[in-house]
Structure formats: C-alpha cells, structure tokens
Amino acid sequence: MSLTTGKIPILYITLDEQDGRRFQQEFVQELEAVVVTTPEQVLSLCAQQPMPFTAIINAADPASSLGLRLMRVLKDQSRVAQPILWLVQQSVAPALRTVLLESPGSEIFSAQDDQERLLTRLHFLARARPVQIDTTSPYALRMPLSKRLMDVVVAGGALLVLSPILLVLAALIKLESRGPVFYYSYRVGAGYRVFKFWKLRSMRSDADQMLDSIKNLNQYQANGSSTAPEANGLAGLCDACTAAGTACQQQLVDQRGRLICEKKYRWQKKAEEAPAFIKIVNDPRVTRLGRFLRNTSIDELPQLYNVLRGDMSLVGNRPLPLYEAEKLLTDEYSRRFIAPAGITGLWQVSRRGKGGDMSEEERKALDIEYARDYSMKKDLEIILKTIPALFQKENV
C-alpha cells in the first residue's frame, strides 16, 4: 500500500461509505485516510507487518460488526499496537465510555465538535512513533550505565523494604473510599515514549471526569489580562508600533475584514492558549488520606515499579500526561524529552516546599536545564534535596 508522503496515515472504519468519503474530503490536507466498511477489510489491512497506520479511527456503532468486538480481536489476537480513536455522533454513557477506553491509548471524540482536538492527537501520535535515534547526536537520550544500575538497586531494595507499609496503605485506601488501590494514567517520558504511570490512589474514583469543571483552579492558568485585546482595539497598533510612532508594518485581515496588527493578534492567541501544565492547589478531588499521601509524596512509591521496568529513572524530568506533552512538541521545548523521566527532578526541589509559586516558563526552563546537563553528581544532589522538599507547606 502506498501512502502519500507528508500526510498522517490512518485507518477509518465506518459502516457508511459516504461517511468515509466525506471524512477523506474534510481532512484531505492533513490525513491519508484509508476507508474500510467490512470486518474482512479491517483484518486484512491490520495483518500487515508493520502496520502502516498511525491510528485507527472507528466511526462505526460500537455494537455493530465493526465495533467493540472487532477492536478486541485486533488488540488481543492481531496484537495491533496503534491506538483506537472512537468518533461518536452523540454523548456516550459512562458505562460505555469505560468499555471503549479499555485498551491503552484509546480516546473518544465528538464527530461534531472535536475535529481540531482529533487532529492535534493524530499529529502527536505521528511525532511520537518510535524512530531510530542517532546516539551520536547531542540531542539523543544517553542513559549512563551507572545511573541505570543505581535505579535498579535503589528501586528494588526500596520496594522490598516498603512492601509492609504499602500493604497497610492499600487497606486504608480501600476503607476510606470505593475504587482501586492503585491508579494509573498514560504518561509521556523520554523520547515521547508513552507508558503506564502508577501511583497510590489519592483522589476520588471519578477525578478524571471532574477535571474540566475545575480547570479554572489551575496554578498555571493565566489570571486574565488587564488589557483585553478587543477593548484596546485589536485593529489598532501594538505597543511596539505605538512607541515607535509608525504605522503597523505587519498587518493581517481578520474574519470581519478588518486590518489588524499581526503582533497584537499573536499576543491575543497566546493569551487564549491553555497552559501546558496542570497543578491545582487544595484540589477538591483529593481524599483526606490522599492529601496526606500527596503532601508526603508517599503516593509516588509505586513509581519504583516504573523505575525497575525502565520506564523512568529515580531522577529526571517529570513524565507528562498526553494533553500536556502535546503542547510541548516545539523546537523550543521538545529538548526536555531527551532526558530520562524521573520520580523527582530539578523543578521539584527548586520551589516545592518553599511556599512559592512556579510559573510555567520557569518549570520548562528547569526541565531543559536538566536535560542539557544531567550527571550522577547532579542526581545525587537532587535526591538529597528531595528529602526536605517532601515536607512542603502547600497542598498539591
């Protein structure tokens, strides 16, 4: 099969050929969509090794012959690694949502409202696919043998010593609230590798569903600008042009046909962007026991298992949720992903426990600083500073 260079190859599953053609036309500039309408076509294309698609988009009814049962066959029998992105026409009941998201990387998108979010996800997946890394490049991930040996010895020993404490905590978590003892989410680590990130559950079992309703509490959220672009006249001059006493040299035409200043327009777009990181002080989703676990960082102990697996290191840049990592796929910030993912790191010991807020730009800069110059000596210094940082003044 020959797929067009420069476009993202995806497999589009639908019961309606007309719907498939409409999807191809709508995204013809960005996607190379192969449309299939029967289970036989799906199984045949997914049997190719390596499978040539970045993702599978399923717009069929989950109860149909192209739905959930067929997707389980792809995952369990054909060992398809590509994520399944469900494209739905209406809202999905919570029970069905849980079933559709059972396989790693799966996600649900609204056919009416989520086109931009779907494209963002596909672009991220296309960039995050495994590639051959040039280890001679200064941007390549280099895991020193001494660092890996320290990770295995310390993580393995700590898990053995702490296992009785983990059993007691597991019992207390079950007694306080319904739900599993352990919580995992998919995180992006070194080289954009996605893995299961484990923690002791410190939140309510429906915490992920509550996130949209409390995003206004995000520490990294802009507090709102005192000079709204529209109020100051978006069609007017930017501050630089006004100070220079000249007409705008970089003009654009907006949707209303007005001439606007390009610099002012870019300022407005940046102000409207959601922050890359999410951190909520006094998070209402956290349980009483969970607040203690988080403030002492005891909830992080299961990540020692991630360290043993090689997903993470003891010290590194914090692995990010998918929605945060997607915002850092730029030349300016992607360098943070050449360092190992870690349980603790430079930004945690720089401000945590000192009662001061850290801006999004400060955190990015510290991540890049660690990626540029990490060593065994620096790791030991960070580990020593982590101990007092555990006893922090803020609730996170």
Side-chain angles (χ1 to χ4, degrees):
M1 177 183 299
S2 175
L3 296 177
T4 304
T5 303
K7 298 182 182 181
I8 301 174
I10 61 102
L11 183 65
Y12 187 82
I13 300 175
T14 179
L15 292 165
D16 184 355
E17 288 188 14
Q18 186 174 354
D19 170 64
R21 288 194 295 270
R22 179 201 57 76
F23 183 88
Q24 285 177 321
Q25 293 172 0
E26 184 175 357
F27 297 100
V28 66
Q29 299 297 326
E30 300 92 354
L31 307 180
E32 184 73 13
V34 176
V35 177
V36 290
T37 57
T38 68
E40 293 75 19
Q41 291 174 324
V42 175
L43 293 172
S44 174
L45 289 173
C46 292
Q48 298 183 42
Q49 294 296 329
M51 203 177 97
F53 304 107
T54 297
I56 298 171
I57 297 180
N58 196 328
D61 185 337
S64 71
S65 60
L66 291 172
L68 186 61
R69 182 176 298 179
L70 179 61
M71 297 302 99
R72 284 174 173 167
V73 171
L74 294 183
K75 290 291 185 179
D76 299 338
Q77 299 180 20
S78 300
R79 302 297 179 187
V80 169
Q82 282 73 2
I84 297 169
L85 309 180
W86 296 91
L87 201 59
V88 299
Q89 299 294 330
Q90 54 190 6
S91 59
V92 177
L96 179 57
R97 175 179 291 272
T98 300
V99 174
L100 295 181
L101 299 179
E102 64 186 6
S103 63
S106 294
E107 201 164 345
I108 300 173
F109 297 85
S110 166
Q112 287 79 28
D113 304 321
D114 288 341
Q115 290 89 341
E116 185 175 346
R117 189 167 69 90
L118 175 62
L119 279 179
T120 299
R121 183 78 175 103
L122 289 172
H123 279 291
F124 173 76
L125 290 170
R127 293 191 62 171
R129 284 179 297 178
V131 296
Q132 288 298 111
I133 298 176
D134 177 11
T135 56
T136 64
S137 167
Y139 295 97
L141 171 64
R142 301 177 301 279
M143 174 68 85
L145 179 60
S146 57
K147 184 176 177 68
R148 181 59 186 151
L149 286 175
M150 182 177 75
D151 287 343
V152 172
V153 172
V154 174
L159 281 174
L160 286 175
V161 172
L162 296 172
S163 55
I165 297 176
L166 288 172
L167 288 174
V168 172
L169 290 173
L172 292 175
I173 291 170
K174 292 295 288 185
L175 286 172
E176 183 183 31
S177 61
R178 298 176 59 182
V181 171
F182 297 101
Y183 166 83
Y184 74 84
S185 61
Y186 289 98
R187 297 292 178 96
V188 180
Y192 299 108
R193 179 170 173 265
V194 179
F195 63 93
K196 283 184 178 180
F197 174 86
W198 292 93
K199 299 179 75 170
L200 289 172
R201 182 173 61 83
S202 59
M203 292 187 175
R204 296 168 40 165
S205 56
D206 60 347
D208 288 342
Q209 288 74 33
M210 294 176 61
L211 183 58
D212 285 340
S213 64
I214 59 173
K215 280 186 176 179
N216 61 307
L217 302 177
N218 184 11
Q219 172 182 305
Y220 296 109
Q221 187 74 44
N223 292 325
S225 173
S226 60
T227 55
E230 194 66 36
N232 288 340
L234 188 58
L237 298 179
C238 68
D239 293 340
C241 293
T242 301
T246 64
C248 182
Q249 301 299 308
Q250 296 174 281
Q251 290 185 322
L252 300 174
V253 179
D254 69 5
Q255 294 178 341
R256 301 178 186 177
R258 302 178 302 174
L259 288 175
I260 62 174
C261 177
E262 182 177 356
K263 288 184 179 179
K264 184 170 281 191
Y265 172 77
R266 293 188 182 280
W267 176 87
Q268 181 193 35
K269 296 301 290 184
K270 185 174 182 179
E272 291 174 350
E273 287 179 357
F277 303 122
I278 293 180
K279 178 185 175 184
I280 299 172
V281 178
N282 296 316
D283 195 323
R285 300 171 298 167
V286 179
T287 63
R288 285 178 297 177
L289 175 61
R291 198 166 302 284
F292 167 75
L293 296 177
R294 288 161 68 90
N295 287 346
T296 57
S297 295
I298 292 175
D299 64 322
E300 312 280 357
L301 290 179
Q303 289 156 42
L304 294 169
Y305 171 70
N306 285 119
V307 173
L308 280 181
R309 283 176 46 89
D311 299 326
M312 300 170 59
S313 178
L314 292 172
V315 181
N317 287 335
R318 197 63 173 161
L320 300 179
L322 298 178
Y323 55 83
E324 291 185 4
E326 288 172 359
K327 297 179 181 295
L328 299 180
L329 294 179
T330 64
D331 292 340
E332 185 179 3
Y333 300 122
S334 60
R335 187 167 185 168
R336 77 172 305 282
F337 292 102
I338 67 173
I343 293 179
T344 187
L346 188 57
W347 78 266
Q348 286 96 328
V349 301
S350 296
R351 284 288 183 88
R352 189 176 184 182
K354 299 180 182 180
D357 291 337
M358 177 179 290
S359 72
E360 187 176 342
E361 294 303 319
E362 286 178 307
R363 177 172 168 181
K364 291 174 183 176
L366 288 171
D367 286 348
I368 294 171
E369 177 185 336
Y370 180 80
R372 184 175 57 244
D373 184 30
Y374 66 87
S375 63
M376 180 63 71
K377 179 182 177 182
K378 177 173 278 189
D379 283 3
L380 291 174
E381 290 175 352
I382 291 173
I383 289 174
L384 291 176
K385 291 179 180 178
T386 297
I387 297 172
L390 295 178
F391 302 98
Q392 55 192 305
K393 298 177 182 178
E394 59 178 335
N395 292 324
V396 298

